Amino acid sequence: MIIVGCPSSAELAKNISRKVKGAKFSLLNSKKFPDGETRLRFEKNVKGEHIVLVQSLFNPNDKIIEILFAAHTAKDLGAKKVTLVAPYLSYMRQDIRFYANDCISAKVQGELFKVFDEVITIDPHLHRIHSLNKVFKKGIRLSANSLIADYIKHHLKNPLVIGPDAESYQWADKIAEELHSHAIVLKKKRYNSRHVAIKLKNNISLKGCEVAIVDDIISTGHTMMETVKEAKKHGASKVYCICVHGLFADDAITKLKKLGAHVISTNTVPNESSKIDVSGIIAKALSK
Ligand code: R5P
Protein backbone atom coordinates (compact mmCIF):
# COMPACT_ATOMS: atom_id res chain seq x y z
CA MET A 1 0.00 0.00 0.00
CA ILE A 2 1.26 3.48 -0.84
CA ILE A 3 -0.35 6.30 1.14
CA VAL A 4 -0.17 9.39 -1.01
CA GLY A 5 -0.36 12.76 0.71
CA CYS A 6 -2.21 15.11 -1.62
CA PRO A 7 -1.71 18.87 -1.15
CA SER A 8 -4.50 19.54 1.38
CA SER A 9 -3.62 16.64 3.69
CA ALA A 10 0.11 15.88 3.36
CA GLU A 11 0.79 15.98 7.11
CA LEU A 12 -2.26 13.92 8.04
CA ALA A 13 -1.35 11.36 5.35
CA LYS A 14 2.17 11.06 6.78
CA ASN A 15 0.79 10.46 10.27
CA ILE A 16 -1.62 7.85 8.92
CA SER A 17 1.19 6.04 7.07
CA ARG A 18 3.24 5.81 10.29
CA LYS A 19 0.35 3.90 11.88
CA VAL A 20 -0.31 1.42 9.04
CA LYS A 21 2.06 -1.53 9.19
CA GLY A 22 4.02 -2.00 5.96
CA ALA A 23 2.59 1.10 4.24
CA LYS A 24 4.86 3.34 2.21
CA PHE A 25 4.39 7.11 2.12
CA SER A 26 4.73 9.44 -0.81
CA LEU A 27 3.63 12.92 -1.80
CA LEU A 28 1.55 13.76 -4.84
CA ASN A 29 3.52 16.19 -6.93
CA SER A 30 0.97 18.82 -7.99
CA LYS A 31 2.00 22.00 -9.74
CA LYS A 32 0.30 24.61 -11.88
CA PHE A 33 1.11 25.47 -15.48
CA PRO A 34 1.31 29.24 -16.09
CA ASP A 35 -2.28 29.22 -17.38
CA GLY A 36 -3.61 27.71 -14.16
CA GLU A 37 -4.02 24.12 -15.40
CA THR A 38 -2.90 21.36 -13.04
CA ARG A 39 0.17 19.21 -13.66
CA LEU A 40 0.40 16.00 -11.63
CA ARG A 41 3.02 13.33 -11.08
CA PHE A 42 3.39 10.38 -8.71
CA GLU A 43 6.76 10.26 -7.02
CA LYS A 44 6.80 6.47 -6.61
CA ASN A 45 5.94 3.72 -9.09
CA VAL A 46 2.32 2.78 -8.59
CA LYS A 47 2.14 -0.35 -10.80
CA GLY A 48 0.56 -3.26 -8.94
CA GLU A 49 0.13 -1.19 -5.75
CA HIS A 50 -2.90 -0.28 -3.66
CA ILE A 51 -2.86 3.53 -3.89
CA VAL A 52 -4.50 5.52 -1.09
CA LEU A 53 -4.98 9.18 -1.94
CA VAL A 54 -5.49 11.33 1.15
CA GLN A 55 -7.11 14.66 0.36
CA SER A 56 -9.56 16.52 2.57
CA LEU A 57 -12.11 18.31 0.39
CA PHE A 58 -12.62 21.75 1.98
CA ASN A 59 -12.65 24.57 -0.63
CA PRO A 60 -13.03 21.56 -2.85
CA ASN A 61 -13.07 22.45 -6.52
CA ASP A 62 -9.33 22.42 -7.36
CA LYS A 63 -8.78 19.55 -4.94
CA ILE A 64 -11.37 17.42 -6.71
CA ILE A 65 -9.60 17.92 -10.04
CA GLU A 66 -6.32 16.82 -8.42
CA ILE A 67 -7.72 13.58 -7.01
CA LEU A 68 -9.64 12.70 -10.17
CA PHE A 69 -6.55 13.23 -12.32
CA ALA A 70 -4.45 11.29 -9.80
CA ALA A 71 -6.90 8.35 -9.65
CA HIS A 72 -7.13 8.04 -13.44
CA THR A 73 -3.34 8.30 -13.72
CA ALA A 74 -2.82 5.61 -11.07
CA LYS A 75 -5.16 3.25 -12.93
CA ASP A 76 -3.53 4.12 -16.24
CA LEU A 77 -0.14 3.24 -14.71
CA GLY A 78 -1.40 -0.14 -13.48
CA ALA A 79 -2.33 0.45 -9.80
CA LYS A 80 -4.32 -2.52 -8.57
CA LYS A 81 -6.71 -0.53 -6.36
CA VAL A 82 -7.33 3.17 -5.74
CA THR A 83 -8.83 4.34 -2.45
CA LEU A 84 -9.78 7.91 -1.67
CA VAL A 85 -9.50 9.02 1.94
CA ALA A 86 -11.38 12.32 2.11
CA PRO A 87 -11.49 13.11 5.86
CA TYR A 88 -13.90 15.95 5.01
CA LEU A 89 -16.16 15.05 2.12
CA SER A 90 -17.44 18.01 0.15
CA TYR A 91 -20.89 18.74 -1.30
CA MET A 92 -22.81 16.29 0.88
CA ARG A 93 -25.22 18.99 2.09
CA GLN A 94 -26.32 19.57 -1.53
CA ASP A 95 -28.35 16.38 -1.58
CA ILE A 96 -31.64 17.64 -3.11
CA ARG A 97 -32.80 20.37 -5.45
CA PHE A 98 -33.49 23.13 -2.91
CA TYR A 99 -34.68 25.38 -5.74
CA ALA A 100 -35.93 24.49 -9.22
CA ASN A 101 -33.15 23.53 -11.63
CA ASP A 102 -30.51 23.23 -8.86
CA CYS A 103 -27.63 20.81 -9.37
CA ILE A 104 -27.73 17.93 -6.86
CA SER A 105 -24.00 18.24 -6.29
CA ALA A 106 -23.70 15.27 -3.90
CA LYS A 107 -24.93 12.92 -6.64
CA VAL A 108 -22.80 14.43 -9.41
CA GLN A 109 -19.75 14.20 -7.17
CA GLY A 110 -20.69 10.54 -6.53
CA GLU A 111 -20.69 9.85 -10.27
CA LEU A 112 -17.28 11.48 -10.71
CA PHE A 113 -15.89 9.50 -7.75
CA LYS A 114 -16.83 6.13 -9.29
CA VAL A 115 -13.20 6.00 -10.46
CA PHE A 116 -12.30 5.20 -6.82
CA ASP A 117 -12.68 1.60 -5.74
CA GLU A 118 -13.60 2.89 -2.30
CA VAL A 119 -14.09 6.20 -0.53
CA ILE A 120 -13.33 6.51 3.18
CA THR A 121 -14.52 9.55 5.07
CA ILE A 122 -15.28 10.78 8.57
CA ASP A 123 -18.76 11.81 9.69
CA PRO A 124 -20.10 12.72 6.26
CA HIS A 125 -23.20 14.90 6.25
CA LEU A 126 -25.71 12.17 5.43
CA HIS A 127 -29.17 13.58 5.57
CA ARG A 128 -31.41 12.55 2.70
CA ILE A 129 -28.77 10.22 1.23
CA HIS A 130 -28.71 7.54 3.91
CA SER A 131 -25.67 5.56 2.86
CA LEU A 132 -22.41 6.35 1.07
CA ASN A 133 -22.94 3.17 -0.93
CA LYS A 134 -25.85 4.92 -2.65
CA VAL A 135 -23.44 7.40 -4.26
CA PHE A 136 -20.04 5.67 -4.41
CA LYS A 137 -18.84 2.25 -5.62
CA LYS A 138 -18.03 1.50 -1.99
CA GLY A 139 -18.22 4.01 0.85
CA ILE A 140 -16.77 3.60 4.32
CA ARG A 141 -18.02 5.95 7.00
CA LEU A 142 -15.86 6.50 10.08
CA SER A 143 -16.81 8.59 13.07
CA ALA A 144 -14.95 10.94 15.38
CA ASN A 145 -17.66 10.63 18.06
CA SER A 146 -15.49 8.66 20.49
CA LEU A 147 -12.54 11.02 20.01
CA ILE A 148 -14.80 14.01 20.71
CA ALA A 149 -16.34 12.31 23.76
CA ASP A 150 -12.84 11.62 25.01
CA TYR A 151 -11.85 15.27 24.56
CA ILE A 152 -14.91 16.40 26.51
CA LYS A 153 -14.18 13.87 29.27
CA HIS A 154 -10.66 15.25 29.71
CA HIS A 155 -11.31 19.00 29.32
CA LEU A 156 -14.78 19.86 30.63
CA LYS A 157 -16.17 19.73 34.16
CA ASN A 158 -19.80 18.74 34.58
CA PRO A 159 -20.34 18.77 30.80
CA LEU A 160 -23.69 19.08 29.08
CA VAL A 161 -23.87 18.12 25.40
CA ILE A 162 -26.05 20.26 23.13
CA GLY A 163 -26.86 19.58 19.49
CA PRO A 164 -27.85 22.82 17.76
CA ASP A 165 -30.35 21.29 15.32
CA ALA A 166 -32.23 18.11 14.51
CA GLU A 167 -29.52 16.90 12.10
CA SER A 168 -26.89 17.08 14.84
CA TYR A 169 -28.79 14.47 16.85
CA GLN A 170 -26.72 11.65 15.31
CA TRP A 171 -23.54 13.14 16.79
CA ALA A 172 -24.84 14.77 19.98
CA ASP A 173 -26.73 11.70 21.13
CA LYS A 174 -23.82 9.28 20.57
CA ILE A 175 -21.31 11.59 22.25
CA ALA A 176 -23.59 12.14 25.27
CA GLU A 177 -24.14 8.39 25.50
CA GLU A 178 -20.36 7.84 25.76
CA LEU A 179 -20.36 10.36 28.60
CA HIS A 180 -23.22 8.46 30.27
CA SER A 181 -25.61 11.38 29.87
CA HIS A 182 -28.25 12.72 27.51
CA ALA A 183 -27.96 15.43 24.89
CA ILE A 184 -30.27 18.39 24.49
CA VAL A 185 -31.07 18.83 20.81
CA LEU A 186 -32.41 22.23 19.74
CA LYS A 187 -34.54 23.34 16.83
CA LYS A 188 -33.07 25.50 14.11
CA LYS A 189 -34.82 27.55 11.49
CA ARG A 190 -32.57 28.40 8.56
CA TYR A 191 -33.55 31.47 6.53
CA ASN A 192 -30.48 31.44 4.29
CA SER A 193 -26.82 30.37 4.47
CA ARG A 194 -25.95 33.24 6.83
CA HIS A 195 -29.13 33.59 8.87
CA VAL A 196 -30.43 31.01 11.32
CA ALA A 197 -32.59 31.18 14.44
CA ILE A 198 -32.12 28.84 17.39
CA LYS A 199 -34.06 28.78 20.61
CA LEU A 200 -33.52 26.96 23.90
CA LYS A 201 -36.71 26.38 25.94
CA ASN A 202 -37.16 29.16 28.50
CA ASN A 203 -37.48 26.85 31.49
CA ILE A 204 -34.09 25.19 30.98
CA SER A 205 -31.29 26.39 33.27
CA LEU A 206 -27.67 25.76 32.35
CA LYS A 207 -26.33 27.38 35.50
CA GLY A 208 -22.91 26.00 36.41
CA CYS A 209 -22.74 23.79 33.32
CA GLU A 210 -19.84 23.62 30.95
CA VAL A 211 -21.65 23.24 27.67
CA ALA A 212 -20.30 21.34 24.66
CA ILE A 213 -22.20 22.30 21.53
CA VAL A 214 -21.38 19.57 19.04
CA ASP A 215 -22.00 19.47 15.30
CA ASP A 216 -20.47 17.88 12.23
CA ILE A 217 -19.59 21.13 10.46
CA ILE A 218 -18.93 24.73 11.40
CA SER A 219 -19.15 26.71 8.18
CA THR A 220 -20.19 30.36 8.59
CA GLY A 221 -20.55 29.68 12.32
CA HIS A 222 -24.05 31.16 12.53
CA THR A 223 -25.54 27.91 13.85
CA MET A 224 -22.94 27.85 16.63
CA MET A 225 -23.12 31.62 17.31
CA GLU A 226 -26.86 31.54 17.90
CA THR A 227 -26.50 28.48 20.12
CA VAL A 228 -23.67 30.06 22.14
CA LYS A 229 -25.86 33.13 22.78
CA GLU A 230 -28.72 30.92 23.96
CA ALA A 231 -26.45 28.82 26.21
CA LYS A 232 -25.00 31.96 27.82
CA LYS A 233 -28.43 33.50 28.26
CA HIS A 234 -29.44 30.39 30.20
CA GLY A 235 -26.44 30.60 32.53
CA ALA A 236 -23.77 28.27 31.06
CA SER A 237 -20.46 28.94 32.81
CA LYS A 238 -18.29 27.95 29.82
CA VAL A 239 -19.24 27.19 26.24
CA TYR A 240 -17.26 24.94 23.91
CA CYS A 241 -18.09 24.73 20.20
CA ILE A 242 -16.84 21.34 19.06
CA CYS A 243 -17.09 20.08 15.51
CA VAL A 244 -15.64 17.40 13.31
CA HIS A 245 -14.99 19.64 10.31
CA GLY A 246 -13.97 23.25 11.00
CA LEU A 247 -14.51 24.98 7.66
CA PHE A 248 -14.74 28.44 9.25
CA ALA A 249 -16.02 30.45 6.29
CA ASP A 250 -16.27 34.23 6.83
CA ASP A 251 -13.69 34.06 9.67
CA ALA A 252 -16.23 32.22 11.82
CA ILE A 253 -13.59 31.17 14.34
CA THR A 254 -12.84 34.79 15.32
CA LYS A 255 -16.54 35.58 15.63
CA LEU A 256 -17.10 32.58 17.91
CA LYS A 257 -14.13 33.50 20.07
CA LYS A 258 -15.47 37.07 20.37
CA LEU A 259 -18.61 35.56 21.90
CA GLY A 260 -16.36 33.94 24.50
CA ALA A 261 -16.62 30.39 23.13
CA HIS A 262 -13.78 27.85 23.08
CA VAL A 263 -13.56 26.42 19.57
CA ILE A 264 -12.34 22.87 19.02
CA SER A 265 -12.29 20.69 15.92
CA THR A 266 -10.63 17.58 14.60
CA ASN A 267 -7.79 17.86 12.10
CA THR A 268 -9.86 16.76 9.07
CA VAL A 269 -9.50 20.43 8.15
CA PRO A 270 -6.20 21.69 9.54
CA ASN A 271 -6.47 24.99 11.42
CA GLU A 272 -5.74 26.58 14.80
CA SER A 273 -8.67 24.76 16.45
CA SER A 274 -7.63 21.26 15.32
CA LYS A 275 -6.97 19.65 18.68
CA ILE A 276 -8.41 16.18 17.97
CA ASP A 277 -6.35 13.88 15.77
CA VAL A 278 -8.17 11.51 13.40
CA SER A 279 -5.10 9.76 11.94
CA GLY A 280 -5.56 6.75 14.25
CA ILE A 281 -9.12 5.92 13.15
CA ILE A 282 -8.18 6.25 9.47
CA ALA A 283 -5.10 4.05 9.93
CA LYS A 284 -7.22 1.45 11.68
CA ALA A 285 -9.71 1.39 8.79
CA LEU A 286 -6.91 1.05 6.23
CA SER A 287 -5.27 -1.75 8.21
CA LYS A 288 -8.39 -3.93 8.08
C1 R5P B 1 -26.13 21.45 8.85
O1 R5P B 1 -27.15 20.82 9.11
C2 R5P B 1 -24.83 21.16 9.51
O2 R5P B 1 -24.93 20.09 10.41
C3 R5P B 1 -24.29 22.37 10.24
O3 R5P B 1 -25.16 22.71 11.29
C4 R5P B 1 -24.16 23.54 9.31
O4 R5P B 1 -23.49 23.15 8.16
C5 R5P B 1 -23.45 24.69 9.98
O5 R5P B 1 -23.43 25.76 9.10
P1 R5P B 1 -23.10 27.23 9.59
O6 R5P B 1 -21.84 27.16 10.40
O7 R5P B 1 -22.91 28.02 8.31
O8 R5P B 1 -24.27 27.73 10.36
Side-chain angles (χ1 to χ4, degrees):
M1 180 189 290
I2 304 181
I3 297 182
V4 181
C6 302
S8 75
S9 302
E11 199 185 318
L12 181 60
K14 188 153 209 179
N15 288 337
I16 296 168
S17 71
R18 288 193 183 114
K19 294 174 181 155
V20 179
K21 213 171 156 200
K24 290 171 264 183
F25 173 74
S26 170
L27 286 171
L28 182 69
N29 188 325
S30 175
K31 296 211 164 77
K32 288 267 194 234
F33 286 109
D35 57 6
E37 290 182 357
T38 295
R39 175 187 180 166
L40 282 186
R41 185 173 295 140
F42 283 99
E43 295 194 335
K44 279 191 169 47
N45 287 334
V46 301
K47 192 166 181 189
E49 300 277 358
H50 174 191
I51 298 302
V52 179
L53 300 170
V54 184
Q55 174 101 305
S56 207
L57 298 174
F58 49 97
N59 297 325
N61 297 352
D62 276 0
K63 296 178 180 110
I64 287 176
I65 288 288
E66 275 173 341
I67 53 168
L68 289 178
F69 284 15
H72 282 280
T73 307
K75 293 219 153 158
D76 193 29
L77 292 169
K80 76 166 185 242
K81 180 174 176 187
V82 181
T83 295
L84 169 66
V85 173
Y88 172 66
L89 184 57
S90 48
Y91 287 116
M92 295 308 285
R93 288 171 293 170
Q94 271 44 262
D95 58 355
I96 51 160
R97 265 186 247 293
F98 290 98
Y99 296 98
N101 308 323
D102 267 357
C103 167
I104 306 177
S105 317
K107 286 198 176 154
V108 177
Q109 174 177 265
E111 285 305 311
L112 293 171
F113 285 12
K114 293 241 157 91
V115 62
F116 300 108
D117 297 293
E118 62 186 4
V119 175
I120 301 178
T121 186
I122 301 179
D123 294 309
H125 192 88
L126 294 180
H127 186 192
R128 283 148 294 231
I129 295 170
H130 297 294
S131 157
L132 290 176
N133 291 324
K134 289 235 150 52
V135 280
F136 304 123
K137 231 184 230 173
K138 179 179 175 197
I140 299 174
R141 172 190 185 180
L142 309 177
S143 177
N145 282 343
S146 298
L147 300 175
I148 291 178
D150 216 49
Y151 182 91
I152 294 174
K153 230 180 262 168
H154 289 98
H155 293 84
L156 277 73
K157 278 190 218 120
N158 188 21
L160 176 79
V161 177
I162 290 185
D165 58 23
E167 288 166 49
S168 67
Y169 176 79
Q170 48 187 310
W171 295 281
D173 190 53
K174 287 269 155 39
I175 291 168
E177 202 180 291
E178 293 207 25
L179 298 167
H180 309 291
S181 72
H182 296 284
I184 299 181
V185 177
L186 309 185
K187 275 199 182 140
K188 171 167 90 178
K189 188 164 168 52
R190 185 175 279 286
Y191 298 97
N192 59 45
S193 36
R194 290 184 174 81
H195 182 197
V196 299
I198 285 175
K199 193 116 193 76
L200 189 57
K201 280 186 192 151
N202 277 338
N203 58 355
I204 291 182
S205 167
L206 303 179
K207 236 181 174 168
C209 289
E210 296 199 351
V211 165
I213 310 168
V214 298
D215 208 349
D216 58 337
I217 298 169
I218 301 180
S219 180
T220 66
H222 285 281
T223 300
M224 283 290 182
M225 282 186 253
E226 294 310 311
T227 317
V228 170
K229 288 181 205 160
E230 282 293 288
K232 293 213 147 191
K233 209 162 81 189
H234 285 75
S237 60
K238 260 190 184 176
V239 182
Y240 286 75
C241 297
I242 307 182
C243 67
V244 184
H245 312 293
L247 302 179
F248 303 127
D250 302 345
D251 204 13
I253 197 161
T254 310
K255 293 177 191 164
L256 284 165
K257 282 185 174 169
K258 271 196 186 141
L259 288 177
H262 301 263
V263 187
I264 307 294
S265 67
T266 75
N267 57 351
T268 59
V269 182
N271 54 54
E272 58 170 289
S273 71
S274 310
K275 304 279 189 250
I276 301 171
D277 178 27
V278 294
S279 63
I281 56 173
I282 297 172
K284 199 167 160 198
L286 288 171
S287 304
K288 272 187 185 164

